[in-house]
Amino acid sequence: MERRGIMQVKFCGLRTMADVEAANRVHPDMAGFVFAHGSSRRIDARTAALLRSRLDPSIRAVGVFCDQDPAAIEELVKNGIIDMIQLHGQESEEMVRQLRRLAPVIRAFRIRSVLDLEAARKTRADMVLLDAGAGEGKTFDWSLTAGFDRPYILAGGLTPENVRIAAALQPWGLDVSSGIETRGRKDPGKMQAFMEAAGCRRIPAPKREMVRQDGMGWARFLLLAASTATGNRKDRKGDSRK
Ligand SMILES: O=C(O)c1ccccc1N[C@@H]1O[C@H](COP(=O)(O)O)[C@@H](O)[C@H]1O
């Protein structure tokens, strides 16, 4: 099955074959493999390759990094283990520019005040991710996103219980990790509940070969981002939050 809703969903921190199989059934748009040092969800390249080989090919694999060697990131992209790069550290904008030649780049920003949104507005990354922490299950003050004028992925402390409110903000995407876990392990029941509460629709997937040809390339990522941005702007014209 493939989900085609307006809002993109990313399940982050898949670590085991059981996680991948559960994700394949529920079908988020993106699945995150964490390579960041110090994370309890960290996996190595070999494990990621194995998991990727079993991940439904129409789910894009995102590598999550924090101040890591660009050569190692490049190898993961070139070996077809990840389709997108998510950066959570102090990477320079020059590094973002270089990495964008390889794959779409999502840059994470920790939002504590409107000032943090300024850097998010300026980055050259293809997509920004607004978060409270880094996989810690914490939310930030979502009202700060009112008037933020570029497409974004909302992350940090999302759960099946609060995702309906998050979706009402109309971000381009939603990213969840802790909120679909129970005692530190991915929970298939919570994955399903999250998708349902986010209002995601499932339709039959196109044939595998078609998925590969039409795969989420770079151009389609940007196109989706741009069309959602236009939609968001249109909707916000009559929005009382303005
Ligand atoms: O998940 C991690 O362990 C992690 C480590 C380092 C950087 C980012 C990490 N995860 C990202 O954190 C957010 C939100 O997670 P949560 O739902 O609050 O647990 C998400 O973008 C993950 O990709």
Side-chain angles (χ1 to χ4, degrees):
M1 302 288 275
E2 188 189 19
R3 192 192 69 79
R4 284 240 180 103
I6 291 171
M7 215 156 295
Q8 303 285 297
V9 175
K10 172 168 164 269
F11 283 176
C12 202
L14 305 190
R15 276 183 300 169
T16 67
M17 213 51 99
D19 295 347
V20 166
E21 281 160 11
N24 286 345
R25 284 194 296 275
V26 183
H27 213 289
D29 304 276
M30 295 168 267
F33 297 141
V34 178
F35 297 97
H37 294 284
S39 167
S40 59
R41 304 182 182 97
R42 182 170 192 268
I43 54 173
D44 59 21
R46 232 180 104 154
T47 307
L50 209 61
L51 297 182
R52 171 61 199 248
S53 71
R54 298 289 289 273
L55 186 70
D56 186 308
S58 61
I59 301 176
R60 272 85 63 194
V62 183
V64 177
F65 306 93
C66 192
D67 297 318
Q68 280 161 278
D69 179 10
I73 300 177
E74 180 168 357
E75 205 171 306
L76 289 162
V77 176
K78 292 204 165 145
N79 289 336
I81 298 170
I82 58 170
D83 306 305
M84 295 185 195
I85 300 162
Q86 181 174 321
L87 302 175
H88 272 261
Q90 301 302 310
E91 296 85 359
S92 68
E93 281 292 310
E94 177 53 24
M95 181 167 161
V96 170
R97 195 178 71 80
Q98 298 285 344
L99 291 174
R100 284 186 71 211
R101 295 182 173 170
L102 302 170
V105 173
I106 301 169
R107 179 151 208 187
F109 292 87
R110 204 170 280 220
I111 306 302
R112 285 151 298 200
S113 76
V114 277
L115 298 177
D116 297 317
L117 289 169
E118 211 30 55
R121 196 170 271 124
K122 286 191 198 143
T123 179
R124 297 182 203 203
D126 299 280
M127 181 57 64
V128 295
L129 183 145
L130 308 182
D131 196 351
E136 295 146 33
K138 289 191 295 197
T139 53
F140 66 93
D141 177 1
W142 295 341
S143 70
L144 293 172
T145 63
F148 185 63
D149 56 3
R150 67 180 281 182
Y152 65 95
I153 298 175
L154 184 64
L158 296 180
T159 64
E161 289 72 36
N162 67 12
V163 69
R164 210 179 293 274
I165 302 165
L169 300 170
Q170 297 186 299
W172 182 81
L174 299 162
D175 187 347
V176 59
S177 189
S178 318
I180 48 168
E181 289 177 348
T182 298
R183 287 185 292 281
R185 306 223 163 256
K186 288 289 178 279
D187 180 329
K190 288 187 181 174
M191 287 183 180
Q192 175 78 40
F194 188 90
M195 292 300 272
E196 281 170 13
C200 297
R201 198 161 57 88
R202 298 169 110 209
I203 60 165
K207 287 203 174 99
R208 277 195 165 214
E209 309 78 67
M210 285 184 58
V211 170
R212 287 197 189 283
Q213 279 165 18
D214 176 43
M216 179 72 166
W218 167 258
R220 201 171 147 223
F221 184 86
L222 295 177
L223 205 67
L224 269 169
S227 63
T228 314
T230 315
N232 281 352
R233 274 198 295 276
K234 243 186 269 156
D235 292 347
R236 281 185 185 148
K237 271 187 190 149
D239 189 336
S240 57
R241 282 173 297 149
K242 273 192 81 181

